[in-house]
Amino acid sequence: MKDYDNLENRKYVIGTVAILIVTVYIIRLFTLQITSDDYKKSADSNAFLKKVEFPSRGNITDRNGKLMVFNQPAYDIMVVMNEAKDHLDTMEFCNALNITKEEFDKRMETIKDRNKNPGYSPFTQQLFLSQLSDRDFSIFQEKMFRFPGFYVQKRSVRQYQSGMAAHVLGDVAEVSPADIEQDDYYQPGDYIGKQGVERSYEKQLRGEKGIQILLRDAHGRIQGRYQNGALDRKPVPGKNLTLSIDYELQALGERLMEGKIGSIVAIEPSTGEILCMVSSPSYDARMMVGRERSKNHKLLSRDPWRPLLNRSIMGLYPPGSTFKTSQGLTFLTEGIITPQTLYPCSHGFNFRGLHVGCHGHGAPLALVPALSTSCNGFFCWGLYYMIGATSKYGTVQNAMNTWRDYMVSMGFGYQLGVDLPGEKRGLIPNAQFYDKAHTDKNGKVGRWNGLSIISISIGQGEVLLTPLQIANLGATIANRGYYYVPHVVRKVQGEPLDTTYTRRHFTKASRTAYEYVVEGMRSSALRGTCHELSRYDFEACGKTGTAQNRGHDHSVFMGFAPMTNPKIAVAVYVENGGWGATYGVPIGGLIMEQYIHGKLSEASMKRAESFQNRHIAYGSEDR
């Protein structure tokens, strides 16, 4: 009986072992045939060569159809690691491509490094060397039969008509591992827009890849297209972009900003289209093309003047007296002042021992002459009565947040949403900001009022804007109370413009308030701090700004023209340029004239040449 029980147990053990063995085989077969595609890739690699055909990237033109960015042919050297033979004559290969043995070894190691090349497979084509010129390609092509496993892939690379508008256009470079991870469209060795419209409109510009399936024989030789190309897919070219940029206006702006640090931004008020966007110092867009891109990018990134920084949307500056227009709009709409309200100015604002200086002019004065003469005292009094006298709002915090809401409605304190990467939001303080600033170590909030923060009324203190936001303020005043989100792309081929850029954004200020501010800016152009604008045959409106700085003050201008049915709004910011009338107004006037008339007068051409030759370095003018 005992032997019978042992036999029965042995039967179950053997059965269990057999089931386990069968299960292991089934799992392994499932892994090889279903889960893993290594063997499929190997088989496909032996029978087929899947050759990716890259689409041509969309061209970019200015608003008048002038070509700014296009494509030119280039060639990439691809390698299938499983086919590359061990007995490859490395030195002959390196000589054919004009590279060193060290560069060859480093590239081969990088290709096989799955951390740097997460899409690596020994059975598929991998990028070995990119962007060969026609000359280098012709030399290599003659010897290519000696290098099994290496293939040529025809590509196109970007070419820039000139070196201008580098910050707007951006550049194209090889994808990073992060790019590949975020979008499965990309494979190692692909190109992607890195900055500017090349980045923000990447999906429209890149097009769709095609593929050719080529049949191999038993020796790996190409025999032709599989099924006569029935399974091939043609590439779809990228869509062309029409920018809102005016090429000639951009060229003038870049000339005028030579040797200076700062920005010019011009907007068409009726559409929000950006007519020019100059950031200085800049760089030649053609430096970021081809195999020298990486080296040039390193050089530019180490430059202490930061030419890669797009100051138009990333530079944070005190707006100075250009900000007074927003204060006048707020005070009028809130009933803090009327158009006839007079405030004193005895060389500035003087109250309870606090003094904010101002240049000499007649006083007391109302809003229109206060804007015309850029009176500090008037706007300090306005802010004091809005935030210092709390009877209307109950608390200083309520008054402050009401003020903040007006500023935000005008496009300050947050990103406007321009169609370029990297836009900064600036800074508009609120009550919580000042409560925190006046809180002691025990958590008790100290007292603060309109006098504590009086400098924000004249665009100083904690207020920071980008040049784009200052230009948008000009466009909003030109429209008498609304703006469109500024944008640099006017049209995408075959697509309607995103509704983000076609909707009006209304501010909290009244239409009546805007009419008085326009009157003040026109008065400034005729007889005030912008009086140089009176030389032009169009009705220009302007506001100067002299933004205080640790060194030499910054020169600022904001304006628009003509006064009725405005065509252009402009902001000019010149670091260390001194008074707003020194650099800001003359440069702004030339920009207006160029766009309105399509050219400069002979006298204006001489003035433009004069400003082009004025260089500002280390806070002092070097003529």
Side-chain angles (χ1 to χ4, degrees):
M1 186 68 180
K2 190 173 181 181
D3 291 339
Y4 177 78
D5 290 341
N6 288 336
L7 189 60
E8 281 293 308
N9 290 337
R10 205 174 296 161
K11 180 176 71 173
Y12 287 121
V13 170
I14 293 171
T16 302
V17 170
I19 290 171
L20 286 173
I21 292 172
V22 170
T23 302
V24 169
Y25 271 103
I26 290 172
I27 292 171
R28 181 58 179 159
L29 286 170
F30 178 83
T31 302
L32 291 175
Q33 295 182 29
I34 307 298
T35 307
S36 173
D37 61 353
D38 285 350
Y39 286 91
K40 182 179 184 302
K41 284 182 178 178
S42 180
D44 285 350
S45 177
N46 290 332
F48 305 111
L49 175 64
K50 293 182 179 179
K51 188 176 182 181
V52 175
E53 290 189 301
F54 292 94
S56 59
R57 201 168 173 87
N59 294 330
I60 302 176
T61 62
D62 86 331
R63 68 188 293 111
N64 299 312
K66 185 176 180 63
L67 189 62
M68 297 183 74
V69 187
F70 56 97
N71 302 302
Q72 67 176 10
Y75 304 88
D76 291 349
I77 304 300
M78 311 297 291
V79 60
V80 178
M81 301 295 282
N82 197 48
E83 298 176 16
K85 305 300 182 183
D86 293 335
H87 56 268
L88 172 72
D89 188 335
T90 307
M91 290 310 299
E92 184 180 12
F93 180 85
C94 291
N95 290 335
L97 287 175
N98 194 26
I99 62 174
T100 65
K101 175 68 164 56
E102 289 72 22
E103 289 173 322
F104 174 87
D105 292 337
K106 183 178 180 181
R107 185 57 194 159
M108 295 296 270
E109 288 174 10
T110 301
I111 289 172
K112 291 184 282 188
D113 187 339
R114 292 183 185 272
N115 291 322
K116 297 179 180 177
N117 185 13
Y120 171 70
S121 168
F123 306 109
T124 60
Q125 290 190 2
Q126 304 291 319
L127 177 67
F128 177 80
L129 192 64
S130 66
Q131 300 186 20
L132 261 67
S133 65
D134 286 340
R135 179 179 175 276
D136 291 339
F137 165 67
S138 62
I139 294 172
F140 179 77
Q141 189 179 33
E142 293 177 1
K143 302 179 179 180
M144 195 169 67
F145 70 95
R146 300 181 184 177
F147 312 127
F150 288 88
Y151 302 88
V152 171
Q153 173 71 64
K154 187 175 181 181
R155 297 287 291 264
S156 61
V157 295
R158 292 309 240 179
Q159 184 63 46
Y160 298 89
Q161 191 69 36
S162 71
M164 289 195 326
H167 293 102
V168 174
L169 298 173
D171 61 285
V172 174
E174 194 174 330
V175 291
S176 67
D179 293 324
I180 297 170
E181 214 173 285
Q182 291 171 8
D183 192 335
D184 58 11
Y185 172 90
Y186 301 104
Q187 298 295 323
D190 285 359
Y191 301 143
I192 190 173
K194 290 293 185 180
Q195 295 295 334
V197 294
E198 294 277 22
R199 182 70 181 188
S200 49
Y201 288 85
E202 165 67 14
K203 289 186 178 179
Q204 290 91 338
L205 285 166
R206 72 189 184 189
E208 298 176 18
K209 295 175 185 174
I211 191 167
Q212 275 188 19
I213 304 176
L214 304 176
L215 190 64
R216 301 175 189 263
D217 63 13
H219 300 286
R221 293 172 297 200
I222 302 298
Q223 297 300 298
R225 293 190 175 187
Y226 178 62
Q227 292 187 5
N228 293 319
L231 301 180
D232 291 356
R233 187 173 68 247
K234 290 185 177 181
V236 178
K239 296 179 178 179
N240 298 329
L241 298 185
T242 301
L243 301 186
S244 58
I245 298 294
D246 183 299
Y247 185 90
E248 299 300 330
L249 193 67
Q250 182 75 23
L252 174 62
E254 295 198 12
R255 280 175 47 211
L256 294 172
M257 289 300 291
E258 284 184 15
K260 307 168 188 69
I261 301 174
S263 171
I264 302 173
V265 179
I267 297 174
E268 184 178 65
S270 60
T271 61
E273 293 174 0
I274 295 174
L275 302 172
C276 79
M277 179 179 282
V278 178
S279 178
S280 182
S282 186
Y283 59 94
D284 191 319
R286 293 166 295 192
M287 293 175 66
M288 308 298 272
V289 172
R291 292 165 63 184
E292 295 297 308
R293 180 193 180 278
S294 179
K295 182 180 75 172
N296 290 336
H297 189 275
K298 282 183 181 179
L299 289 173
L300 291 170
S301 64
R302 293 170 182 168
D303 189 321
W305 297 108
R306 304 178 71 189
L308 292 175
L309 178 70
N310 185 353
R311 288 171 168 82
S312 298
I313 62 173
M314 298 176 181
L316 299 179
Y317 298 106
S321 294
T322 61
F323 198 62
K324 292 172 182 174
T325 55
S326 67
Q327 305 308 286
L329 292 165
T330 303
F331 302 155
L332 273 175
T333 306
E334 281 295 292
I336 305 300
I337 62 172
T338 70
Q340 293 74 40
T341 299
L342 300 176
Y343 285 137
C345 181
S346 180
H347 288 281
F349 173 79
N350 299 282
F351 188 66
R352 295 181 182 175
L354 178 64
H355 174 71
V356 179
C358 188
H359 56 277
H361 56 74
L365 70 177
L367 175 65
V368 169
L371 286 170
S372 179
T373 60
S374 196
C375 173
N376 285 343
F378 183 93
F379 295 96
C380 287
W381 280 112
L383 187 81
Y384 169 73
Y385 281 114
M386 180 174 182
I387 297 180
T390 58
S391 57
K392 179 175 181 178
Y393 303 101
T395 66
V396 68
Q397 284 82 5
N398 289 341
M400 184 70 213
N401 285 338
T402 300
W403 178 90
R404 183 273 320 274
D405 290 344
Y406 272 84
M407 298 305 103
V408 170
S409 78
M410 295 178 195
F412 308 142
Y414 293 89
Q415 293 177 343
L416 281 167
V418 66
D419 51 346
L420 290 171
E423 182 190 5
K424 300 296 184 184
R425 61 180 290 176
L427 176 61
I428 292 294
N430 57 15
Q432 185 180 12
F433 179 93
Y434 288 118
D435 282 345
K436 185 176 180 181
H438 288 82
T439 299
D440 63 22
K441 61 182 180 181
N442 297 318
K444 183 180 179 181
V445 178
R447 295 184 61 185
W448 58 274
N449 54 38
L451 291 177
S452 312
I453 59 172
I454 203 71
S455 59
I456 65 173
S457 66
I458 56 174
Q460 297 287 165
E462 292 74 32
V463 173
L464 295 173
L465 306 183
T466 65
L468 177 66
Q469 290 172 328
I470 299 174
N472 191 61
L473 171 62
T476 306
I477 297 171
N479 289 333
R480 277 64 167 179
Y482 66 87
Y483 67 89
Y484 296 94
V485 172
H487 50 284
V488 296
V489 171
R490 192 181 197 192
K491 182 181 179 182
V492 180
Q493 181 185 12
E495 288 186 14
L497 192 65
D498 193 314
T499 55
T500 299
Y501 308 114
T502 59
R503 291 195 304 268
R504 291 181 177 183
H505 296 258
F506 288 88
T507 75
K508 289 174 65 67
S510 69
R511 171 76 185 223
T512 302
Y514 276 100
E515 294 293 354
Y516 279 106
V517 168
V518 169
E519 185 182 344
M521 292 176 68
R522 179 59 184 154
S523 176
S524 179
L526 291 174
R527 62 188 68 88
T529 55
C530 296
H531 65 273
E532 184 171 326
L533 296 179
S534 63
R535 71 169 70 240
Y536 297 105
D537 60 357
F538 48 83
E539 292 184 313
C541 300
K543 183 70 197 73
T544 54
T546 305
Q548 294 178 5
N549 181 42
R550 292 181 181 177
H552 210 40
D553 292 343
H554 303 319
S555 179
V556 197
F557 168 76
M558 178 273 292
F560 62 90
M563 179 178 173
T564 305
N565 297 322
K567 293 181 173 62
I568 182 172
V570 185
V572 180
Y573 210 105
V574 180
E575 293 187 27
N576 308 127
W579 296 104
T582 304
Y583 280 97
V585 176
I587 290 175
L590 291 168
I591 293 291
M592 289 177 179
E593 181 185 9
Q594 170 68 40
Y595 186 69
I596 290 173
H597 292 320
K599 62 179 181 179
L600 296 179
S601 67
E602 189 174 338
S604 292
M605 287 175 66
K606 291 180 180 178
R607 283 200 300 277
E609 186 177 349
S610 169
F611 277 94
Q612 181 180 353
N613 293 328
R614 295 186 188 183
H615 290 193
I616 302 173
Y618 306 105
S620 62
E621 192 171 7
D622 178 13
R623 291 195 175 97

